[in-house]
Amino acid sequence: VERASELGSALYAELSGFGCAYAGGKEMGTAISQAIQAALDESGLGKADLDLVLWNASYPPDPALISMLQELLNGPPVLSLNDRYGYAESLSCMLHLCAAAELIHCSHSTGNLQQCEKVQGRTIRRVLTLSTSLNGNCYAAIVSQVTP
């Protein structure tokens, strides 16, 4: 944040929380819950503060897994970008961070999120990015709007 200010650059979003967990051959839902809770704890936010979830779900996305995640988080839209870039396992966390920052910026600067009907008409301030791998790794990060 300080460096962006020194350079006179506009800063739209920042990483406000991170968590990770390993399923270790157990139920992946437990690792997902642990990683999300760690990210929420670090950010100081609650589930109700989230506007959107970006998740690298299987492709095509499994409706049962998406429903489970929406129930766990009390309802923010869950969006998988796999149809745009494929299933990237835990590496997708980096792509999701970039996508989250862009969604935050676009929803405030232009209001133009027409390419994504799940977020049209929404103001995006906080995005939970969730990445899982087939071997049981789970990464959760929260990207939050920076207010000038």
Side-chain angles (χ1 to χ4, degrees):
V1 173
E2 293 80 20
R3 182 70 176 139
S5 294
E6 288 172 14
L7 295 172
S9 299
L11 190 62
Y12 302 105
E14 66 182 348
L15 180 66
S16 59
F18 179 80
C20 61
Y22 176 62
K26 299 176 186 154
E27 165 60 37
M28 190 60 152
T30 301
I32 289 171
S33 296
Q34 291 171 340
I36 290 171
Q37 193 57 56
L40 287 169
D41 290 347
E42 185 173 345
S43 70
L45 299 171
K47 295 175 184 178
D49 296 316
L50 301 173
D51 299 309
L52 179 68
V53 178
L54 295 178
W55 185 19
N56 74 317
S58 57
Y59 185 77
D62 181 342
L65 290 175
I66 289 176
S67 293
M68 179 273 303
L69 193 54
Q70 285 176 316
E71 186 175 314
L72 175 70
L73 295 170
N74 301 323
V78 177
L79 180 62
S80 172
L81 301 177
N82 292 28
D83 61 335
R84 307 207 182 199
Y85 66 87
Y87 183 71
E89 289 242 341
S90 48
L91 176 62
S92 67
C93 186
M94 295 305 292
L95 179 62
H96 282 136
L97 294 173
C98 294
E102 185 66 20
L103 285 167
I104 288 169
H105 172 64
C106 287
S107 76
H108 291 275
S109 65
T110 65
N112 184 7
L113 296 173
Q114 294 175 2
Q115 70 276 22
C116 181
E117 70 263 1
K118 287 193 177 186
V119 295
Q120 282 181 3
R122 292 179 171 271
T123 299
I124 308 296
R125 293 177 304 276
R126 291 171 214 92
V127 179
L128 169 68
T129 66
L130 185 62
S131 300
T132 55
S133 68
L134 295 175
N135 67 355
N137 292 313
C138 183
Y139 303 97
I142 297 173
V143 178
S144 298
Q145 174 187 3
V146 172
T147 48

